[in-house]
Amino acid sequence: MTIMSKTILKSAAVAIVAMTAPALISAPAFAQSRTGIAMANYEAAVAKSQAYTVALTQMQTTYKADIDAVNARATALQAEIKPLVDAYNAAVQQPGATQTTVQPQAQALQAKQQSGQQELARLRQRITRATAYVEEQVAGQLEAAIKAAMKTKNVDMVLSPQSVVAREPYVDITDDIVVELNKLVPSAAITPPADWQPGQANRQQQAAPAAAAQPESR
């Protein structure tokens, strides 16, 4: 997943925990008939959703030329880098080799690797942008899906796997979130609008409350 999508998922997770924590703390002990705490992998839920998986399959056809170009260039780069790797290994194995003596080979190898990564990133631009667009469409409904899954499973708080110390006491509702995402986002477009930028929907959502709070001009 992209960095942008991870930020969206993290924001949704924080919102859910912040919203549910007070209810969990303030509820009377005798009224605690709910499951309590559940665990969910938000990134996995998005990746397993119907809209996301179908979109990735569609992209194999729509962006086939881009994918083929990336694969072909990656294969060629491996062949171009191999002599530099061999030269570096040979320099390291020389008697009395030091960091200084192998520095020219190391720098040449690093420079080639970095330029290769940048070149592949440029070739992947359309694919990366389309993937981010799909992720944003699905992740945009993640918070609603989490709330619905929590209601269905009767839980008060959802934690990410990184927050879970001992898994046994927790209920995993990742698949339940997938079910809700499939209802909310049955499909996703794979061709971003010409003026679309990653994170655009999230910025618009944040701007809406601020705009509503502006006093009316007289």
Side-chain angles (χ1 to χ4, degrees), residues 3-17 42-43 139 142 146 160:
I3 295 176
M4 177 279 300
S5 65
K6 291 181 179 180
T7 301
I8 293 176
L9 300 182
K10 183 177 179 181
S11 299
V14 171
I16 291 298
V17 172
Y42 309 115
E43 292 183 24
L142 181 61
I146 295 173
S160 66

Side-chain angles (χ1 to χ4, degrees), residues 174-189:
T174 301
D175 289 340
D176 300 277
I177 295 175
V178 174
V179 170
E180 299 300 333
L181 280 174
N182 291 343
K183 296 176 184 177
L184 295 167
V185 196
S187 63

Side-chain angles (χ1 to χ4, degrees), residues 131-204:
T131 304
Y133 184 52
V134 171
E135 289 175 352
E136 185 166 295
Q137 291 172 77
V138 180
Q141 294 296 326
L142 181 61
E143 185 173 343
I146 295 173
K147 291 177 181 178
M150 290 173 67
K151 183 176 181 181
T152 299
K153 300 300 290 186
N154 207 31
V155 299
D156 298 289
M157 181 182 291
V158 182
L159 301 176
S160 66
Q162 293 83 0
S163 304
V164 177
V165 178
R167 179 169 179 167
E168 186 177 357
Y170 296 92
V171 175
D172 191 329
I173 65 169
T174 301
D175 289 340
D176 300 277
I177 295 175
V178 174
V179 170
E180 299 300 333
L181 280 174
N182 291 343
K183 296 176 184 177
L184 295 167
V185 196
S187 63
I190 63 174
T191 304
D195 60 347
W196 179 85
Q197 294 297 326
Q200 181 173 301
N202 195 37
R203 290 192 296 271
Q204 290 174 343

Side-chain angles (χ1 to χ4, degrees), residues 8-185:
I8 293 176
L9 300 182
K10 183 177 179 181
S11 299
V14 171
I16 291 298
V17 172
M19 176 194 70
T20 57
L24 180 63
I25 295 172
S26 61
F30 60 82
Q32 293 296 325
S33 60
R34 300 170 69 86
T35 303
I37 301 175
M39 180 185 73
N41 186 324
Y42 309 115
E43 292 183 24
V46 171
K48 291 169 66 176
S49 69
Q50 173 181 300
Y52 186 84
T53 55
V54 171
L56 290 192
T57 300
Q58 293 173 338
M59 286 173 61
Q60 297 295 319
T61 300
T62 304
Y63 297 95
K64 184 179 186 303
D66 301 77
I67 295 170
D68 290 346
V70 170
N71 291 337
R73 187 58 187 136
T75 300
L77 281 170
Q78 287 180 348
E80 294 173 15
I81 289 175
K82 187 178 185 306
L84 298 177
V85 174
D86 294 341
Y88 173 77
N89 290 335
V92 171
Q93 294 171 6
Q94 289 293 322
T98 64
Q99 184 175 357
T100 301
T101 62
V102 304
Q103 187 174 7
Q105 292 81 4
Q107 288 179 337
L109 175 58
Q110 185 179 29
K112 184 63 176 178
Q113 289 174 328
Q114 290 178 345
S115 65
Q117 290 171 354
Q118 292 170 356
E119 184 178 357
L120 292 176
R122 287 193 295 271
L123 292 173
R124 283 195 299 260
Q125 280 182 345
R126 290 209 321 149
I127 303 170
T128 302
R129 188 166 182 267
T131 304
Y133 184 52
V134 171
E135 289 175 352
E136 185 166 295
Q137 291 172 77
V138 180
Q141 294 296 326
L142 181 61
E143 185 173 343
I146 295 173
K147 291 177 181 178
M150 290 173 67
K151 183 176 181 181
T152 299
K153 300 300 290 186
N154 207 31
V155 299
D156 298 289
M157 181 182 291
V158 182
L159 301 176
S160 66
Q162 293 83 0
S163 304
V164 177
V165 178
R167 179 169 179 167
E168 186 177 357
Y170 296 92
V171 175
D172 191 329
I173 65 169
T174 301
D175 289 340
D176 300 277
I177 295 175
V178 174
V179 170
E180 299 300 333
L181 280 174
N182 291 343
K183 296 176 184 177
L184 295 167
V185 196

